[in-house]
Amino acid sequence: MPAELDTKPTEPTERLAEIRVRSPLSIVIPTYKEAENIPPLLDRLERLRVEHEIDLEVLLMDDDSRDGSVEAVRDCGYDWSRIVVRTADRGLSQAVVDGLGLARHPVVVVMDADLSHPPEKIPDLILALESGQEFAIGSRYVPGGSTDDDWGFFRWLNSRVATLLARPLTDAHDPMAGFFAFRRADLARAKYLNPVGYKIGLEIIVKCGLENVGEVPIRFTDRVRGQSKLTFREQLKYLKHLRRLYIYKFRYLSSFGQFAAVGLLGLVVNLAILSALVWVGVPEATAVAAAIAVSMMSNFLLNRRFTFGYARGGRVSTQFLGFVGACSIGALINYAVTLGVISARPSWPVQVAAVIGVGFGTIFNYLTNQFLVF
Ligand code: GDD
């Protein structure tokens, strides 16, 4: 099997005709007012099924189009296809998520109904999975891939900018694509899927942590029948979706940032309380203890509210004891590392050793709080 399917064009599909798609395949197709496109799409899938001897099921996830889609599927008479009419929680991505929940076969393909995605490329997608990729995209943006010539400049630019914005999330060249294949078992790697808008493929890549993404070049053909439902409003939802995905992908980095910020604020609280108590004449030893207690409490409350906000439902007393316990061990680590640096590098200013000690203590505190306390 070629290992370089990643970004290079594969053999033309005609030359791969002898490939048998060994795994039974579920194809999930979101549909909304696609009655005219359904028969030609199902006919092309039937040809593919026969040619490659595919054990196939096709799920058309329809948002109650009432345009004859149900009748169109019935009249085609293919026993491997069925249409599911959805009346709640409408939208392309949710329709796909529901379809994935109904799919029975180990490998899943998702594609549009409007014939813009060539079904004949499905064996190439499966080949990419079989040669080790976790996720295979029918891609417009790898060598050999293309879009119809009448894609205006602004649609092209729009698509490229959207792709660029997703770059920190995945290396894929066409993560916006709605034509892709993956192993259904990999869905278990996502705690949840909650896409907004159209980009269900990107959602699956990020939430399932799929790193190994292959791309098979396709020609994206503009639909001939019916209308695109990709409105400006849907495109704005992409920004909201991106924000969620960034927070998800870089969650440890951002929550560590919040933890560190709360820690800095705690230092300010500590110094303010200490100065105020000493100023009113409280003995220093008592003032230091009180400042530590108050700053620890404020750190706990802020971390519980923001850094680990997801754990707000837990018992406060247990969490507080865990927090204090973890931070006490963190303080000992801070102390030991600081002394270690002082003895290993006596020429360094003691403040540098202290900062290194604080760094280690903070990382320890963060990890124990993240994984054991909240
Ligand atoms: N169930 C359901 N509900 N299906 C929907 C809905 C909806 O609200 N909106 C659209 N669909 C279906 C359409 O019927 C079609 O099969 C598919 O989703 C894609 O919708 P289009 O409206 O045709 O999208 P497009 O061609 O403009 O967008 C294409 O390009 C994007 C990248 O530029 C699609 O391929 C997208 O998947 C892709 O992300």
Side-chain angles (χ1 to χ4, degrees):
M1 297 284 175
E4 63 280 357
L5 270 167
D6 191 11
T7 53
K8 293 184 186 148
T10 50
E11 301 281 306
T13 305
E14 296 75 41
R15 286 167 55 198
L16 292 171
E18 71 276 12
I19 289 171
R20 260 199 76 199
V21 176
R22 277 173 291 190
S23 175
L25 202 66
S26 295
I27 304 185
V28 175
I29 307 175
T31 59
Y32 187 62
K33 300 205 184 292
E34 301 287 3
E36 293 172 290
N37 287 316
I38 287 172
L41 175 64
L42 292 183
D43 290 345
R44 280 169 72 176
L45 286 171
E46 168 65 359
R47 276 200 292 279
L48 191 78
R49 187 187 72 81
V50 171
E51 187 180 353
H52 294 271
E53 301 173 35
I54 308 174
D55 183 358
L56 186 68
E57 79 167 344
V58 170
L59 295 157
L60 295 124
M61 304 302 295
D62 188 71
D63 276 6
D64 203 12
S65 299
R66 298 178 192 217
D67 65 338
S69 292
V70 173
E71 294 75 8
V73 175
R74 191 191 55 212
D75 293 348
C76 283
Y78 297 122
D79 60 1
W80 41 261
S81 74
R82 71 179 164 121
I83 184 162
V84 177
V85 177
R86 308 170 67 250
T87 50
D89 210 0
R90 296 178 183 213
L92 187 159
S93 289
Q94 195 51 48
V96 172
V97 171
D98 289 357
L100 297 177
L102 294 174
R104 289 180 294 117
H105 291 325
V107 172
V108 183
V109 170
V110 175
M111 67 187 300
D112 292 352
D114 58 3
L115 304 170
S116 53
H117 299 145
E120 295 73 21
K121 282 284 184 176
I122 289 174
D124 299 34
L125 294 178
I126 306 309
L127 181 64
L129 293 183
E130 284 176 1
S131 51
Q133 314 291 359
E134 292 176 303
F135 192 89
I137 297 176
S139 173
R140 299 161 287 179
Y141 302 138
V142 288
S146 60
T147 53
D148 265 351
D149 294 336
D150 49 1
W151 257 40
F153 173 72
F154 283 107
R155 186 168 174 198
W156 177 86
L157 185 71
N158 190 352
S159 172
R160 295 317 289 244
V161 170
T163 304
L164 205 68
L165 291 175
R167 201 72 185 150
L169 298 169
T170 169
D171 286 341
H173 296 78
D174 193 3
M176 306 292 114
F179 186 28
F180 51 84
F182 62 100
R183 292 175 194 82
R184 194 161 59 86
D186 280 337
L187 282 175
R189 293 163 63 173
K191 276 196 195 135
Y192 55 87
L193 294 177
N194 62 343
V196 268
Y198 263 38
K199 308 306 166 197
I200 178 65
L202 185 60
E203 172 84 5
I204 293 171
I205 292 175
V206 174
K207 294 282 179 69
C208 298
L210 304 180
E211 301 285 346
N212 201 355
V213 178
E215 292 182 74
V216 165
I218 63 156
R219 177 165 184 81
F220 182 97
T221 322
D222 260 342
R223 62 161 71 235
V224 179
R225 307 177 198 87
Q227 277 182 345
S228 166
K229 289 96 199 170
L230 184 55
T231 56
F232 181 63
R233 196 154 160 259
E234 284 296 334
Q235 295 189 45
L236 280 185
K237 282 192 197 162
Y238 174 58
L239 295 179
K240 190 172 169 192
H241 191 197
L242 265 187
R243 182 178 158 272
R244 276 192 195 174
L245 292 178
Y246 270 85
I247 290 175
Y248 183 86
K249 173 121 183 170
F250 303 110
R251 58 195 178 283
Y252 294 128
L253 209 62
S254 75
S255 72
F256 179 71
Q258 288 183 60
F259 189 80
V262 167
L264 271 183
L265 201 67
L267 183 66
V268 174
V269 170
N270 183 309
L271 293 179
I273 300 279
L274 180 64
S275 312
L277 291 180
V278 170
W279 188 69
V280 296
V282 174
E284 265 184 10
T286 314
V288 169
I292 289 176
V294 174
S295 60
M296 211 167 219
M297 181 57 101
S298 72
N299 278 8
F300 169 73
L301 292 175
L302 288 173
N303 278 318
R304 189 169 187 273
R305 172 73 180 79
F306 297 107
T307 319
F308 309 113
Y310 54 81
R312 261 178 284 166
R315 263 180 79 177
V316 186
S317 54
T318 320
Q319 289 177 345
F320 184 65
L321 287 179
F323 179 80
V324 172
C327 292
S328 310
I329 301 173
L332 285 180
I333 288 175
N334 173 356
Y335 185 65
V337 170
T338 306
L339 291 188
V341 174
I342 289 172
S343 69
R345 294 275 185 273
S347 58
W348 287 9
V350 69
Q351 288 82 354
V352 173
V355 168
I356 295 174
V358 167
F360 273 86
T362 306
I363 291 170
F364 174 85
N365 285 345
Y366 171 72
L367 293 176
T368 41
N369 277 291
Q370 166 80 57
F371 294 108
L372 299 178
V373 180
F374 290 100

